[in-house]
Amino acid sequence: MSLALQYHRSPARFLAARGLSRTRSRAAGSLAGSLAPLRLSRDRRELPKGDGWTRLAPSLSGICGSDLGMLNGTVSPYLAALTSTPFVPGHEVVGTTIDDLPTIPRGTRVVLDPVLSCAVRGLPECDACRAGHTNRCDHITSGHLAPGMQTGYCADTGGGWAQRMVAHEHQLRPVPDDLPDERAVLIEPLACAIHSVRRVPIEPGASVLVIGAGTVGLFTVLALRQLTEAGTIHVVAKHGHQRERALALGADEAVEPDRALRAVRRMTSALAQRPELGSEFLLGGADVAFECTGGGAGLDTALRTVRAGGTVVVSGIPGGADLTPLWYRELSLVGAYTTRRREDAVPDGGPDTGPDGRPGTDFDKAAQLAATAPLDGYVERYALQQWRPALEHAFAAGSAGSVKIAFDPTLDG
Protein backbone atom coordinates (compact mmCIF):
# COMPACT_ATOMS: atom_id res chain seq x y z
CA MET A 1 0.00 0.00 0.00
CA SER A 2 1.48 3.34 -1.05
CA LEU A 3 0.53 6.97 -1.18
CA ALA A 4 -0.55 8.00 -4.68
CA LEU A 5 -2.26 10.78 -6.59
CA GLN A 6 -5.03 9.13 -8.62
CA TYR A 7 -6.89 10.62 -11.58
CA HIS A 8 -10.56 9.59 -11.81
CA ARG A 9 -12.52 10.31 -14.96
CA SER A 10 -15.17 12.98 -14.35
CA PRO A 11 -16.83 14.63 -17.37
CA ALA A 12 -18.35 17.36 -15.18
CA ARG A 13 -15.02 18.36 -13.65
CA PHE A 14 -13.31 18.09 -17.04
CA LEU A 15 -15.75 20.53 -18.61
CA ALA A 16 -15.60 22.90 -15.63
CA ALA A 17 -11.80 22.95 -15.75
CA ARG A 18 -11.85 23.51 -19.52
CA GLY A 19 -14.22 26.43 -19.15
CA LEU A 20 -11.99 28.08 -16.56
CA SER A 21 -8.80 27.49 -18.54
CA ARG A 22 -10.25 29.30 -21.55
CA THR A 23 -10.22 32.57 -19.59
CA ARG A 24 -6.39 32.37 -19.91
CA SER A 25 -5.73 34.01 -16.54
CA ARG A 26 -3.19 32.72 -14.03
CA ALA A 27 -5.83 32.45 -11.31
CA ALA A 28 -8.14 30.54 -13.63
CA GLY A 29 -5.34 28.10 -14.46
CA SER A 30 -4.82 27.39 -10.77
CA LEU A 31 -8.55 26.92 -10.20
CA ALA A 32 -8.76 24.64 -13.23
CA GLY A 33 -6.09 22.44 -11.65
CA SER A 34 -7.96 22.34 -8.35
CA LEU A 35 -11.08 21.19 -10.19
CA ALA A 36 -9.21 18.27 -11.74
CA PRO A 37 -10.46 14.88 -10.48
CA LEU A 38 -7.31 14.02 -8.50
CA ARG A 39 -7.35 12.23 -5.15
CA LEU A 40 -4.47 11.67 -2.77
CA SER A 41 -5.07 8.25 -1.28
CA ARG A 42 -3.53 5.02 -0.13
CA ASP A 43 -3.38 2.78 -3.17
CA ARG A 44 -4.35 -0.74 -2.12
CA ARG A 45 -4.40 -2.28 -5.58
CA GLU A 46 -2.14 -5.18 -6.43
CA LEU A 47 0.20 -3.94 -9.14
CA PRO A 48 0.94 -6.49 -11.88
CA LYS A 49 3.90 -8.80 -11.43
CA GLY A 50 5.53 -11.29 -13.74
CA ASP A 51 8.58 -11.89 -15.85
CA GLY A 52 10.34 -8.67 -16.72
CA TRP A 53 8.46 -6.52 -14.19
CA THR A 54 9.76 -4.74 -11.11
CA ARG A 55 8.32 -2.51 -8.48
CA LEU A 56 9.84 0.96 -8.66
CA ALA A 57 10.21 3.61 -5.95
CA PRO A 58 10.12 7.02 -7.65
CA SER A 59 12.44 9.66 -6.24
CA LEU A 60 11.35 12.42 -8.63
CA SER A 61 8.55 12.64 -11.19
CA GLY A 62 8.03 15.69 -13.36
CA ILE A 63 4.78 17.49 -14.11
CA CYS A 64 4.58 17.60 -17.91
CA GLY A 65 2.60 19.93 -20.14
CA SER A 66 0.47 16.98 -21.24
CA ASP A 67 -0.38 16.35 -17.58
CA LEU A 68 -1.48 19.95 -17.20
CA GLY A 69 -3.59 19.69 -20.36
CA MET A 70 -5.31 16.65 -18.89
CA LEU A 71 -5.94 18.44 -15.60
CA ASN A 72 -7.26 21.72 -17.00
CA GLY A 73 -9.47 20.08 -19.62
CA THR A 74 -7.64 21.33 -22.71
CA VAL A 75 -6.35 17.97 -23.91
CA SER A 76 -8.06 16.49 -26.96
CA PRO A 77 -10.87 13.94 -26.35
CA TYR A 78 -9.06 11.83 -28.98
CA LEU A 79 -6.71 10.63 -26.26
CA ALA A 80 -9.43 9.37 -23.91
CA ALA A 81 -9.61 6.01 -25.72
CA LEU A 82 -5.85 5.56 -25.16
CA THR A 83 -6.06 5.74 -21.37
CA SER A 84 -7.70 3.73 -18.59
CA THR A 85 -8.89 5.08 -15.25
CA PRO A 86 -8.30 5.48 -12.44
CA PHE A 87 -4.63 6.05 -13.23
CA VAL A 88 -1.71 7.58 -11.38
CA PRO A 89 -0.08 10.31 -13.52
CA GLY A 90 3.65 10.74 -13.88
CA HIS A 91 5.73 9.55 -16.84
CA GLU A 92 8.93 11.60 -16.32
CA VAL A 93 10.39 9.36 -13.63
CA VAL A 94 13.68 8.62 -11.93
CA GLY A 95 13.54 5.97 -9.24
CA THR A 96 15.05 2.83 -7.75
CA THR A 97 14.16 -0.77 -8.64
CA ILE A 98 12.84 -2.93 -5.81
CA ASP A 99 12.99 -6.35 -7.49
CA ASP A 100 15.73 -8.16 -9.41
CA LEU A 101 15.52 -8.29 -13.19
CA PRO A 102 17.64 -10.43 -15.53
CA THR A 103 19.79 -7.46 -16.58
CA ILE A 104 19.02 -4.89 -13.86
CA PRO A 105 19.63 -5.83 -10.20
CA ARG A 106 17.36 -4.47 -7.48
CA GLY A 107 18.50 -1.20 -5.98
CA THR A 108 19.47 0.22 -9.40
CA ARG A 109 18.61 3.85 -10.05
CA VAL A 110 16.83 4.12 -13.40
CA VAL A 111 14.87 6.46 -15.62
CA LEU A 112 11.68 5.41 -17.37
CA ASP A 113 10.92 5.19 -21.08
CA PRO A 114 7.15 5.41 -20.53
CA VAL A 115 5.69 3.97 -23.77
CA LEU A 116 3.70 0.77 -23.14
CA SER A 117 4.64 -0.96 -26.38
CA CYS A 118 4.29 -4.54 -27.59
CA ALA A 119 7.30 -5.87 -25.66
CA VAL A 120 5.96 -4.38 -22.41
CA ARG A 121 2.51 -5.86 -23.05
CA GLY A 122 3.85 -9.33 -23.83
CA LEU A 123 2.67 -9.23 -27.45
CA PRO A 124 4.36 -10.07 -30.76
CA GLU A 125 5.82 -6.88 -32.18
CA CYS A 126 3.64 -4.81 -34.48
CA ASP A 127 5.23 -3.40 -37.63
CA ALA A 128 6.09 -0.11 -35.92
CA CYS A 129 7.75 -1.74 -32.92
CA ARG A 130 9.65 -4.13 -35.18
CA ALA A 131 11.08 -1.11 -37.01
CA GLY A 132 12.16 0.45 -33.71
CA HIS A 133 9.35 3.04 -33.65
CA THR A 134 7.82 1.93 -30.36
CA ASN A 135 6.28 5.40 -30.02
CA ARG A 136 3.99 4.43 -32.93
CA CYS A 137 2.89 1.10 -31.40
CA ASP A 138 -0.51 -0.11 -32.63
CA HIS A 139 -1.15 -2.32 -29.59
CA ILE A 140 -1.28 0.19 -26.74
CA THR A 141 -4.87 -0.86 -25.93
CA SER A 142 -4.17 -4.62 -26.17
CA GLY A 143 -2.55 -7.40 -24.18
CA HIS A 144 -2.62 -8.14 -20.46
CA LEU A 145 -2.37 -4.46 -19.46
CA ALA A 146 -5.24 -2.01 -19.42
CA PRO A 147 -5.24 0.53 -22.26
CA GLY A 148 -2.60 3.22 -21.91
CA MET A 149 -0.36 4.99 -24.37
CA GLN A 150 2.21 5.48 -21.62
CA THR A 151 2.91 4.76 -18.00
CA GLY A 152 1.12 7.57 -16.20
CA TYR A 153 -2.05 7.02 -18.24
CA CYS A 154 -2.64 3.32 -17.54
CA ALA A 155 -4.68 1.95 -14.62
CA ASP A 156 -2.47 -1.12 -14.21
CA THR A 157 1.05 0.31 -14.00
CA GLY A 158 0.72 3.22 -11.63
CA GLY A 159 2.79 6.31 -12.31
CA GLY A 160 5.47 8.52 -10.85
CA TRP A 161 3.14 10.61 -8.71
CA ALA A 162 3.21 7.85 -6.13
CA GLN A 163 5.51 6.11 -3.67
CA ARG A 164 5.35 2.88 -5.67
CA MET A 165 4.66 1.90 -9.26
CA VAL A 166 5.70 -0.92 -11.59
CA ALA A 167 7.76 -0.89 -14.75
CA HIS A 168 8.93 -3.42 -17.30
CA GLU A 169 12.61 -4.10 -17.87
CA HIS A 170 12.14 -2.96 -21.47
CA GLN A 171 11.28 0.54 -20.18
CA LEU A 172 14.21 1.09 -17.82
CA ARG A 173 17.55 2.79 -18.37
CA PRO A 174 20.16 2.74 -15.56
CA VAL A 175 21.39 6.16 -14.45
CA PRO A 176 25.08 6.93 -13.83
CA ASP A 177 25.90 7.18 -10.12
CA ASP A 178 27.26 10.70 -10.50
CA LEU A 179 24.12 12.08 -12.18
CA PRO A 180 21.86 13.69 -9.53
CA ASP A 181 18.12 13.08 -9.53
CA GLU A 182 17.47 16.72 -10.47
CA ARG A 183 19.21 16.10 -13.78
CA ALA A 184 18.16 12.48 -14.27
CA VAL A 185 14.46 13.42 -14.17
CA LEU A 186 15.11 15.64 -17.21
CA ILE A 187 16.31 12.72 -19.36
CA GLU A 188 12.85 11.74 -20.61
CA PRO A 189 11.80 15.24 -21.76
CA LEU A 190 15.29 15.73 -23.22
CA ALA A 191 14.88 12.49 -25.17
CA CYS A 192 11.54 13.74 -26.52
CA ALA A 193 13.17 16.96 -27.72
CA ILE A 194 15.99 14.99 -29.35
CA HIS A 195 13.43 12.79 -31.11
CA SER A 196 11.56 15.83 -32.45
CA VAL A 197 14.80 17.30 -33.85
CA ARG A 198 15.65 13.95 -35.45
CA ARG A 199 12.21 13.75 -37.09
CA VAL A 200 13.19 16.08 -39.94
CA PRO A 201 16.36 16.88 -41.88
CA ILE A 202 18.05 20.03 -40.58
CA GLU A 203 20.35 21.13 -43.37
CA PRO A 204 23.65 22.86 -42.53
CA GLY A 205 22.98 26.55 -42.08
CA ALA A 206 19.19 26.11 -41.94
CA SER A 207 17.19 28.90 -40.31
CA VAL A 208 15.09 27.55 -37.42
CA LEU A 209 12.31 29.04 -35.33
CA VAL A 210 11.40 27.50 -31.95
CA ILE A 211 8.05 28.68 -30.60
CA GLY A 212 7.77 28.36 -26.85
CA ALA A 213 10.47 28.20 -24.18
CA GLY A 214 9.05 25.96 -21.52
CA THR A 215 10.76 22.63 -20.92
CA VAL A 216 10.02 21.31 -24.44
CA GLY A 217 11.12 24.46 -26.24
CA LEU A 218 14.31 24.94 -24.22
CA PHE A 219 15.36 21.33 -24.72
CA THR A 220 14.58 21.59 -28.44
CA VAL A 221 17.01 24.52 -28.66
CA LEU A 222 19.65 22.45 -26.85
CA ALA A 223 19.12 19.46 -29.17
CA LEU A 224 19.25 21.64 -32.28
CA ARG A 225 22.51 23.23 -31.25
CA GLN A 226 24.15 20.01 -30.04
CA LEU A 227 22.94 17.53 -32.67
CA THR A 228 22.57 19.51 -35.90
CA GLU A 229 24.40 22.07 -38.00
CA ALA A 230 21.50 24.50 -37.88
CA GLY A 231 22.35 28.09 -38.68
CA THR A 232 20.40 30.83 -36.93
CA ILE A 233 18.02 29.67 -34.19
CA HIS A 234 15.33 32.14 -33.11
CA VAL A 235 13.16 31.44 -30.08
CA VAL A 236 9.76 32.90 -29.21
CA ALA A 237 9.39 33.15 -25.42
CA LYS A 238 6.93 35.04 -23.23
CA HIS A 239 9.13 35.60 -20.19
CA GLY A 240 12.53 37.13 -19.66
CA HIS A 241 14.00 34.17 -17.76
CA GLN A 242 12.94 31.88 -20.61
CA ARG A 243 14.72 34.08 -23.14
CA GLU A 244 17.87 34.07 -21.00
CA ARG A 245 17.83 30.28 -20.69
CA ALA A 246 17.23 29.84 -24.44
CA LEU A 247 20.28 31.97 -25.22
CA ALA A 248 22.36 29.99 -22.71
CA LEU A 249 21.39 26.75 -24.49
CA GLY A 250 22.41 27.98 -27.94
CA ALA A 251 19.73 30.24 -29.40
CA ASP A 252 20.94 33.23 -31.42
CA GLU A 253 18.00 35.45 -30.54
CA ALA A 254 14.99 35.14 -28.24
CA VAL A 255 12.02 37.46 -28.65
CA GLU A 256 8.56 38.08 -27.24
CA PRO A 257 5.61 36.54 -29.16
CA ASP A 258 4.53 39.85 -30.71
CA ARG A 259 7.99 40.26 -32.25
CA ALA A 260 8.23 36.76 -33.75
CA LEU A 261 7.25 37.60 -37.31
CA ARG A 262 9.52 40.66 -37.45
CA ALA A 263 12.46 38.64 -36.10
CA VAL A 264 12.02 35.91 -38.72
CA ARG A 265 11.56 38.50 -41.46
CA ARG A 266 14.84 40.11 -40.45
CA MET A 267 16.62 36.75 -40.14
CA THR A 268 15.55 35.53 -43.59
CA SER A 269 14.95 38.75 -45.58
CA ALA A 270 11.34 37.65 -46.06
CA LEU A 271 8.47 39.90 -47.15
CA ALA A 272 5.67 40.57 -44.68
CA GLN A 273 2.09 40.53 -45.96
CA ARG A 274 -0.91 41.89 -44.07
CA PRO A 275 -4.39 40.77 -45.17
CA GLU A 276 -7.46 42.93 -44.59
CA LEU A 277 -8.56 40.53 -41.88
CA GLY A 278 -6.34 38.26 -39.82
CA SER A 279 -2.67 38.17 -38.92
CA GLU A 280 0.44 38.99 -40.91
CA PHE A 281 2.37 36.27 -42.69
CA LEU A 282 5.63 35.98 -44.59
CA LEU A 283 6.61 35.29 -48.16
CA GLY A 284 9.92 33.64 -47.45
CA GLY A 285 10.72 32.76 -43.85
CA ALA A 286 12.37 30.11 -41.71
CA ASP A 287 13.29 26.73 -43.16
CA VAL A 288 11.93 24.84 -40.14
CA ALA A 289 9.73 25.80 -37.20
CA PHE A 290 9.20 23.78 -34.01
CA GLU A 291 5.89 24.42 -32.26
CA CYS A 292 6.51 23.66 -28.57
CA THR A 293 3.62 25.39 -26.78
CA GLY A 294 0.78 22.98 -27.49
CA GLY A 295 -1.43 25.97 -28.35
CA GLY A 296 -3.24 27.06 -31.47
CA ALA A 297 -1.57 30.49 -31.44
CA GLY A 298 1.88 28.90 -31.55
CA LEU A 299 0.97 26.64 -34.45
CA ASP A 300 -0.57 29.59 -36.28
CA THR A 301 2.67 31.55 -35.84
CA ALA A 302 4.71 28.63 -37.13
CA LEU A 303 2.58 28.22 -40.23
CA ARG A 304 2.80 31.94 -41.02
CA THR A 305 6.57 32.27 -40.61
CA VAL A 306 8.09 29.30 -42.50
CA ARG A 307 9.03 29.62 -46.15
CA ALA A 308 7.11 27.94 -48.95
CA GLY A 309 7.94 24.25 -48.90
CA GLY A 310 9.21 24.57 -45.33
CA THR A 311 8.50 22.27 -42.40
CA VAL A 312 6.60 22.70 -39.15
CA VAL A 313 7.26 20.17 -36.40
CA VAL A 314 4.55 19.86 -33.75
CA SER A 315 6.23 18.86 -30.47
CA GLY A 316 3.31 19.52 -28.12
CA ILE A 317 -0.29 18.33 -28.17
CA PRO A 318 -1.62 20.75 -30.83
CA GLY A 319 -4.42 23.23 -30.48
CA GLY A 320 -6.57 24.67 -33.26
CA ALA A 321 -5.04 26.85 -35.97
CA ASP A 322 -5.81 28.26 -39.40
CA LEU A 323 -4.41 25.65 -41.80
CA THR A 324 -4.67 27.80 -44.93
CA PRO A 325 -0.87 28.32 -45.10
CA LEU A 326 -0.38 24.55 -44.93
CA TRP A 327 -2.35 24.26 -48.16
CA TYR A 328 -1.28 27.41 -49.97
CA ARG A 329 2.44 27.27 -49.15
CA GLU A 330 2.73 23.47 -49.54
CA LEU A 331 4.22 23.09 -46.08
CA SER A 332 5.09 19.83 -44.37
CA LEU A 333 3.43 19.38 -40.99
CA VAL A 334 5.23 16.73 -38.92
CA GLY A 335 4.27 15.31 -35.54
CA ALA A 336 6.83 14.30 -32.92
CA TYR A 337 5.58 12.06 -30.13
CA THR A 338 7.81 10.82 -27.28
CA THR A 339 10.89 8.76 -28.37
CA ARG A 340 12.02 5.72 -30.33
CA ARG A 341 13.29 2.65 -28.53
CA ARG A 342 15.81 0.83 -30.69
CA GLU A 343 19.23 1.89 -31.85
CA ASP A 344 18.55 0.96 -35.47
CA ALA A 345 15.75 3.55 -35.57
CA VAL A 346 18.28 6.38 -35.28
CA PRO A 347 18.96 8.00 -38.68
CA ASP A 348 21.96 6.58 -40.54
CA GLY A 349 25.10 8.64 -40.33
CA GLY A 350 24.25 10.08 -36.89
CA PRO A 351 27.34 10.84 -34.83
CA ASP A 352 25.93 9.65 -31.53
CA THR A 353 26.75 6.28 -30.04
CA GLY A 354 25.43 4.32 -27.11
CA PRO A 355 27.43 2.60 -24.37
CA ASP A 356 28.15 -0.41 -26.61
CA GLY A 357 29.40 1.68 -29.54
CA ARG A 358 26.26 1.24 -31.64
CA PRO A 359 24.25 4.25 -32.83
CA GLY A 360 22.73 5.79 -29.72
CA THR A 361 19.06 6.07 -28.91
CA ASP A 362 17.34 9.31 -28.01
CA PHE A 363 17.72 8.29 -24.35
CA ASP A 364 21.47 7.71 -24.72
CA LYS A 365 22.05 11.21 -26.02
CA ALA A 366 19.61 12.68 -23.49
CA ALA A 367 21.61 11.16 -20.64
CA GLN A 368 24.77 12.76 -22.03
CA LEU A 369 23.13 16.18 -22.30
CA ALA A 370 21.57 15.87 -18.85
CA ALA A 371 25.08 15.44 -17.44
CA THR A 372 26.83 18.20 -19.40
CA ALA A 373 24.36 20.95 -20.38
CA PRO A 374 23.82 24.05 -18.19
CA LEU A 375 20.66 22.73 -16.52
CA ASP A 376 21.25 23.63 -12.87
CA GLY A 377 18.19 25.07 -11.17
CA TYR A 378 15.72 23.64 -13.68
CA VAL A 379 13.83 21.42 -11.18
CA GLU A 380 11.81 22.37 -8.09
CA ARG A 381 10.38 19.70 -5.73
CA TYR A 382 7.08 19.21 -3.92
CA ALA A 383 5.80 16.43 -1.67
CA LEU A 384 2.78 14.49 -2.87
CA GLN A 385 0.76 16.00 -0.02
CA GLN A 386 1.51 19.44 -1.50
CA TRP A 387 -0.11 18.55 -4.80
CA ARG A 388 -2.40 21.60 -4.97
CA PRO A 389 0.39 24.20 -4.59
CA ALA A 390 2.59 22.06 -6.85
CA LEU A 391 0.03 22.17 -9.64
CA GLU A 392 -0.59 25.89 -9.12
CA HIS A 393 3.16 26.42 -9.48
CA ALA A 394 3.32 24.23 -12.59
CA PHE A 395 0.46 26.10 -14.28
CA ALA A 396 2.24 29.40 -13.57
CA ALA A 397 5.81 28.14 -14.07
CA GLY A 398 6.67 30.54 -16.88
CA SER A 399 5.56 33.68 -15.09
CA ALA A 400 7.03 32.39 -11.81
CA GLY A 401 10.50 32.02 -13.30
CA SER A 402 10.47 28.21 -13.13
CA VAL A 403 11.02 25.43 -15.66
CA LYS A 404 10.21 21.96 -14.29
CA ILE A 405 8.05 21.25 -11.24
CA ALA A 406 8.38 17.70 -9.91
CA PHE A 407 6.92 15.53 -7.18
CA ASP A 408 9.31 13.95 -4.69
CA PRO A 409 7.42 11.02 -3.17
CA THR A 410 10.14 10.58 -0.53
CA LEU A 411 9.28 13.93 1.12
CA ASP A 412 6.82 14.25 3.98
CA GLY A 413 4.17 16.83 3.31
Side-chain angles (χ1 to χ4, degrees):
M1 187 170 68
S2 69
L3 198 63
L5 274 170
Q6 289 187 334
Y7 179 93
H8 294 256
R9 201 182 304 277
S10 170
R13 282 178 173 259
F14 181 89
L15 292 173
R18 170 175 281 189
L20 270 175
S21 67
R22 284 175 175 168
T23 68
R24 299 184 181 276
S25 72
R26 177 174 174 173
S30 298
L31 285 170
S34 68
L35 281 172
L38 282 177
R39 300 176 193 171
L40 182 64
S41 59
R42 293 285 176 181
D43 190 355
R44 295 179 172 83
R45 293 174 300 163
E46 280 293 318
L47 296 174
K49 302 181 182 69
D51 292 342
W53 289 90
T54 179
R55 292 167 296 166
L56 189 67
S59 51
L60 275 182
S61 182
I63 300 175
C64 177
S66 59
D67 298 322
L68 297 178
M70 167 191 71
L71 295 175
N72 71 6
T74 59
V75 73
S76 169
Y78 176 97
L79 299 175
L82 309 180
T83 65
S84 51
T85 56
F87 60 77
V88 178
H91 59 274
E92 300 175 354
V93 182
V94 56
T96 303
T97 58
I98 297 174
D99 305 298
D100 282 316
L101 293 169
T103 61
I104 303 176
R106 63 182 175 181
T108 300
R109 201 162 56 106
V110 294
V111 291
L112 181 76
D113 179 351
V115 176
L116 298 172
S117 59
C118 292
V120 177
R121 293 178 172 276
L123 298 170
E125 288 187 326
C126 65
D127 290 343
C129 287
R130 193 176 303 113
H133 296 286
T134 47
N135 56 322
R136 303 177 186 175
C137 178
D138 288 329
H139 292 159
I140 55 174
T141 59
S142 306
H144 66 279
L145 292 179
M149 55 188 182
Q150 296 185 9
T151 296
Y153 299 98
C154 173
D156 286 343
T157 62
W161 298 5
Q163 293 174 327
R164 294 290 184 273
M165 56 182 289
V166 295
H168 193 272
E169 184 174 21
H170 191 78
Q171 297 178 280
L172 300 178
R173 303 296 183 92
V175 176
D177 292 338
D178 59 353
L179 189 68
D181 285 346
E182 290 83 359
R183 284 179 174 257
V185 76
L186 300 176
I187 290 177
E188 194 275 341
L190 272 167
C192 293
I194 290 167
H195 172 65
S196 70
V197 168
R198 285 172 161 169
R199 281 284 287 130
V200 295
I202 307 291
E203 299 296 332
S207 57
V208 182
L209 178 66
V210 177
I211 301 171
T215 305
V216 176
L218 289 172
F219 289 173
T220 298
V221 172
L222 178 61
L224 282 164
R225 194 49 84 202
Q226 293 294 322
L227 301 182
T228 77
E229 297 181 43
T232 304
I233 301 174
H234 274 63
V235 177
V236 179
K238 282 185 179 180
H239 306 288
H241 78 96
Q242 294 175 330
R243 295 191 286 274
E244 291 173 5
R245 292 180 193 270
L247 294 172
L249 294 179
D252 293 284
E253 185 178 12
V255 300
E256 299 91 338
D258 60 1
R259 294 181 54 208
L261 188 136
R262 282 173 286 170
V264 175
R265 182 185 63 188
R266 185 175 65 252
M267 172 177 67
T268 62
S269 301
L271 299 175
Q273 306 295 318
R274 181 180 291 277
E276 291 182 6
L277 297 174
S279 303
E280 280 186 296
F281 62 91
L282 296 180
L283 296 178
D287 296 310
V288 184
F290 289 82
E291 201 300 295
C292 302
T293 69
L299 181 55
D300 190 64
T301 297
L303 292 170
R304 290 171 181 269
T305 50
V306 295
R307 62 169 173 79
T311 300
V312 174
V313 180
V314 179
S315 296
I317 299 175
D322 182 356
L323 297 182
T324 301
L326 180 71
W327 160 73
Y328 178 66
R329 305 288 282 163
E330 293 194 340
L331 307 178
S332 296
L333 187 62
V334 177
Y337 167 65
T338 190
T339 65
R340 291 169 291 208
R341 174 64 178 86
R342 288 218 306 258
E343 287 81 353
D344 58 6
V346 175
D348 292 338
D352 309 312
T353 58
D356 57 2
R358 292 185 299 170
T361 65
D362 300 329
F363 267 78
D364 291 327
K365 189 59 184 179
Q368 294 175 27
L369 293 182
T372 59
L375 303 178
D376 290 335
Y378 270 53
V379 177
E380 298 175 58
R381 301 170 178 243
Y382 283 84
L384 291 172
Q385 295 91 333
Q386 299 172 301
W387 65 273
R388 286 187 176 87
L391 293 177
E392 289 177 6
H393 193 170
F395 276 111
S399 58
S402 302
V403 179
K404 175 60 65 178
I405 310 303
F407 286 111
D408 181 345
T410 70
L411 292 176
D412 292 326

